[in-house]
Amino acid sequence: DRVFEQVGDLFEGRYPGYQSSDTAYHDFTHTCEATMAVACILDGHLRSGKPPTLSRRDFELTVVAGLLHDSGFIKEIGDVEGTGAKYTITHVQRSGEFSARFLDQFDVTPDEIRLVQLAIECTGVQVDVDSLPFRNKRERFIGSVVGTGDMLGQMAAPDYPDKLDRLYREFAEASTYPDAKGSGIDTYTGVSDLMRKTRGFYEGYVLSMLETQWGGVHQVLEFHFEEGKNEYFQSIAANLERIDQMIQSNE
């Protein structure tokens, strides 16, 4: 509860030393949507009875990683250039660094902070989970839950199609910085181009990431929702269909 309250303060500009969130897309709403997806996956896993066995503390740390995964977008006081979108390429690293400072005020051990930071690294678009120094399958599972929750929470959001223009504005700003070269975010020519490439991004990248890098942890959502459904996939399919309709109406 305290973490949730203070992360809210961080995004709203009430956290000491930091400005309020000014990124067009990656706001507190997105953080909450991603964290809710994390909680749903954890619930499905616990209901499934499948390994690895998670403790109450594991649940807490995984949710905390979800809440903190985009904290790196927030600018410090005195940072007046552009918006937090300029940190698109580095925000995962920045989120990990902020998390270490932030969690130091709580009863969290250095080893638990290490795990939270590793879980946050799993949200990177170009992450290679195999290369991250997880110590066991339980730790890797926790990281995979956070990576999966971030992606599903984003693409299944009911207003995702309407917010693609905001996402493009972030990419456009980030692409003006040297660290964006080779990242892929500088390849979009406009909002329409991003919209046209969204289905390909999902079918050609996201589905593969869910199964390989993030170990298929999304499958336990069938134990969370009634009648074995995966409502996140259903919402994503509806969003992609709506995006296709929006493209057709603009042509």
Side-chain angles (χ1 to χ4, degrees):
D1 290 344
R2 289 173 56 207
V3 170
F4 178 79
E5 179 180 350
Q6 292 193 31
V7 170
D9 287 343
L10 175 68
F11 277 84
E12 297 298 326
R14 297 186 296 270
Y15 193 83
Y18 288 85
Q19 305 176 43
S20 60
S21 170
D22 61 1
T23 46
Y25 181 88
H26 288 92
D27 54 13
F28 190 48
T29 296
H30 162 70
T31 287
C32 290
E33 289 167 341
T35 305
M36 178 60 72
V38 166
C40 290
I41 296 169
L42 289 172
D43 176 69
H45 179 71
L46 293 173
R47 291 173 183 270
S48 75
K50 296 180 178 180
T53 300
L54 300 182
S55 66
R56 177 189 179 95
R57 187 62 164 180
D58 291 333
F59 192 102
E60 290 176 340
L61 293 172
T62 309
V63 171
V64 164
L67 287 169
L68 291 168
H69 84 280
D70 275 345
S71 56
F73 278 110
I74 309 297
K75 298 190 303 181
E76 296 179 52
I77 296 295
D79 184 349
V80 297
E81 180 183 358
T83 74
K86 66 184 179 180
Y87 296 122
T88 296
I89 305 302
T90 59
H91 84 276
V92 173
Q93 177 185 347
R94 285 170 51 85
S95 295
E97 293 169 351
F98 174 80
S99 296
R101 299 191 298 271
F102 175 86
L103 292 174
D104 191 53
Q105 65 181 299
F106 298 92
D107 184 22
V108 180
T109 68
D111 193 58
E112 289 174 333
I113 290 176
R114 174 193 62 82
L115 180 55
V116 168
Q117 290 177 313
L118 281 174
I120 289 173
E121 286 193 55
C122 285
T123 66
V125 174
Q126 297 178 332
V127 65
D128 177 11
V129 178
D130 288 332
S131 69
L132 297 179
F134 291 112
R135 295 177 179 174
N136 51 53
K137 292 181 179 179
R138 172 188 137 271
E139 289 191 356
R140 175 161 179 158
F141 177 84
I142 287 172
S144 297
V145 170
V146 176
T148 298
D150 179 29
M151 187 61 72
L152 295 186
Q154 173 173 315
M155 297 198 72
D159 58 353
Y160 180 66
D162 302 306
K163 294 173 70 174
L164 286 176
D165 61 327
R166 301 185 187 184
L167 187 59
Y168 172 72
R169 291 206 304 272
E170 289 189 11
F171 287 167
E173 179 178 351
S175 68
T176 64
Y177 290 83
D179 59 10
K181 292 183 179 180
S183 66
I185 64 171
D186 56 350
T187 62
Y188 299 109
T189 59
V191 180
S192 296
D193 186 43
L194 175 60
M195 293 176 68
R196 285 192 296 269
K197 293 176 178 177
T198 297
R199 181 177 288 277
F201 171 72
Y202 177 69
E203 295 177 349
Y205 171 79
V206 173
L207 290 178
S208 175
M209 289 289 291
L210 290 173
E211 293 293 344
T212 57
Q213 294 293 329
W214 298 321
V217 300
H218 65 280
Q219 297 171 13
V220 298
L221 285 167
E222 296 176 359
F223 294 91
H224 171 75
F225 294 110
E226 295 181 358
E227 300 177 358
K229 298 178 182 178
N230 187 328
E231 294 185 11
Y232 278 96
F233 276 15
Q234 294 175 348
S235 296
I236 291 173
N239 279 343
L240 293 175
E241 180 64 26
R242 185 161 170 241
I243 291 169
D244 289 341
Q245 294 173 358
M246 293 167 69
I247 293 171
Q248 293 176 4
S249 67
N250 291 333
E251 291 180 346

